Amino acid sequence: NRAIQSDAVPKEIPDFSDHEGVWVYAEQRDGVLAKVTLELLGIAQELGQERRQKVSAVLIGDRLENLTHDLIRHGADQVFLAEDPCLQPYRTLAHVKIMEDLINEHKPEILLIGATHIGRDLAPRLSRRVGVGLTADCTALSIDPEEKILLQTRPAFGGNVMATIANRYSRPQMATVRPGVMEARTDEAKAGTIIHCEVQLDEADIKTKVLEMFEEKRKHAPITDSKVIVAGGRGVNGEAGFQMLRTLADLLDGEVAGTRVVAEQGFVPADCQVGQTGKTVRPEIYIACGISGAIQHRAGMMNSRFIIAINKDPDAPIFKVADWGIIGDLHDVVPELVRQLTPA
Ligand code: FAD
């Protein structure tokens, strides 16, 4: 990592002492909280403790009071609740306006948003409106021990380096975070406050109407929810090899995923690609078969609880992140695993 200082930034650091608190935009669809919201509350708690500041969730929609308890249990000290029929389902301008007004009124120090479809739509527009920078797609967040500012880490230069970005010149420090990167926490006994926000929106604040919603039909469970993932790379070498991985995944009640190479070749669907330009996963067990372990792939799976790598090259980088490594031909190793796991 190398810090790059732009000449265009002001030399004087403004006084931000009136900004306080770590905020999380609480994404929900049809009254169901996005998993990433709970993950963000986990890291927000850590950041809040370091800064000795409160964690707030901002929940926008209609008839959502029942979700506030979940947000508090997962780490929010307070929930800003903005409810109105025109706020459900999500519409960009309406949610941006509510967020903008709340930020201007309460001046948070940090704002975290999930790097989901909704988050990627909301965050850039909001950062423009509020006039602050945005670090998109972060994979790690921490507080600088000396300057006490947010350090935001994300892949840069095509994923070849991890850049750590610090924003000294505007508040809130705003970041989107990829789903699956942070860990959610729960505390059954936690108490929190609900702050009901007044919603005042006119036609000009909304502009769009949702006419109809179409559900994408999935052939498989989302890999981000799977506890076991059997992932294949170029070394699997074709459909027969992937059939073998599917058999192993079925025996372990898991899903099959793959590298970008095999997703592009059509051996796994695009939404089963793991990595920097695919999904970030953190299953209990990740079995990497015939995967070299390029940095762009590791970015999406290195937080898995237990990684098993099968590769015939002992120097493959995947072994650097593996808990167990099996050096060998996957066409021998996987059938043997299947044989041993198949009930007699
Ligand atoms: P390879 O790197 O070719 O590795 C194949 C491995 O299989 C080798 O290690 C080999 O030893 C092993 N092998 C071969 N035969 C056998 C056998 N019979 N038994 C056991 N082992 C065997 N990649 C991703 O995965 N996800 C991403 O999101 C992603 N995003 C990217 C974004 C950018 C901007 C760029 C530039 C690249 C991205 N990539 C991504 C691509 C990435 O750089 C690698 O090219 C890719 O991950 C390599 O895939 P692989 O491991 O399947 O293939």
Side-chain angles (χ1 to χ4, degrees), residues 3 12 35 46 75 103 109 143 220 248 295 341:
E12 288 273 308
K35 228 170 111 204
E46 257 179 57
I103 289 170
E109 200 191 1
I143 299 289
H220 56 85
L248 179 60
I295 185 168
L341 288 166

Side-chain angles (χ1 to χ4, degrees), residues 233-234 259-260 273-277 290 292 296-297 311 329-330:
R234 201 194 307 266
T259 61
R260 186 166 86 169
Q273 178 191 318
V274 173
Q276 184 196 320
T277 42
S292 59
Q296 296 89 355
H297 184 77
N311 199 305
D329 189 326
L330 69 95

Side-chain angles (χ1 to χ4, degrees), residues 105-259:
E105 188 182 341
H106 298 277
K107 300 190 179 355
E109 200 191 1
I110 294 172
L111 169 61
L112 308 178
I113 298 177
T116 58
H117 290 303
I118 286 182
R120 284 178 171 150
D121 178 66
L122 175 85
R125 198 178 279 258
L126 182 59
S127 76
R128 176 71 185 86
R129 284 266 192 105
V130 185
V132 301
L134 166 69
T135 309
D137 271 1
C138 293
T139 54
L141 297 171
S142 61
I143 299 289
D144 181 277
E146 273 157 34
E147 283 194 68
K148 301 290 176 204
I149 52 177
L150 182 67
L151 300 178
Q152 309 158 94
T153 303
R154 70 178 309 276
F157 299 113
N160 290 313
V161 295
M162 297 303 280
T164 297
I165 295 160
N167 172 4
R168 292 195 178 90
Y169 300 100
S170 60
R171 294 291 181 275
Q173 300 162 89
M174 202 171 149
T176 62
V177 179
R178 300 186 57 155
V181 172
M182 305 296 175
E183 212 162 350
R185 293 140 196 250
T186 39
D187 175 1
E188 295 294 335
K190 199 169 172 305
T193 317
I194 300 165
I195 302 162
H196 292 268
C197 310
E198 203 181 320
V199 175
Q200 277 181 328
L201 292 171
D202 54 37
E203 285 296 305
D205 294 322
I206 304 174
K207 286 194 181 139
T208 55
K209 220 187 233 176
V210 178
L211 299 178
E212 211 174 338
M213 304 275 268
F214 296 93
E215 274 289 317
E216 189 191 353
K217 288 200 177 68
R218 286 180 176 276
K219 292 197 193 88
H220 56 85
I223 56 168
T224 43
D225 291 347
S226 189
K227 292 213 171 348
V228 177
I229 291 178
V230 180
R234 201 194 307 266
V236 175
N237 196 20
E239 187 48 44
F242 273 95
Q243 199 47 54
M244 190 169 72
L245 300 199
R246 253 167 237 126
T247 309
L248 179 60
D250 287 346
L251 281 166
L252 297 168
D253 203 14
E255 292 293 334
V256 172
T259 61

Side-chain angles (χ1 to χ4, degrees), residues 25-67:
Y25 171 76
E27 179 178 331
Q28 55 83 26
R29 276 183 200 233
D30 300 330
V32 179
L33 284 172
K35 228 170 111 204
V36 69
T37 299
L38 308 181
E39 294 164 5
L40 292 183
L41 285 170
I43 181 70
Q45 250 183 318
E46 257 179 57
L47 302 173
Q49 272 158 14
E50 282 202 45
R51 299 289 288 120
R52 296 207 167 86
Q53 293 188 3
K54 275 190 187 163
V55 172
S56 304
V58 186
L59 182 59
I60 303 174
D62 196 26
R63 298 184 203 188
L64 299 174
E65 185 132 11
N66 58 324
L67 299 184

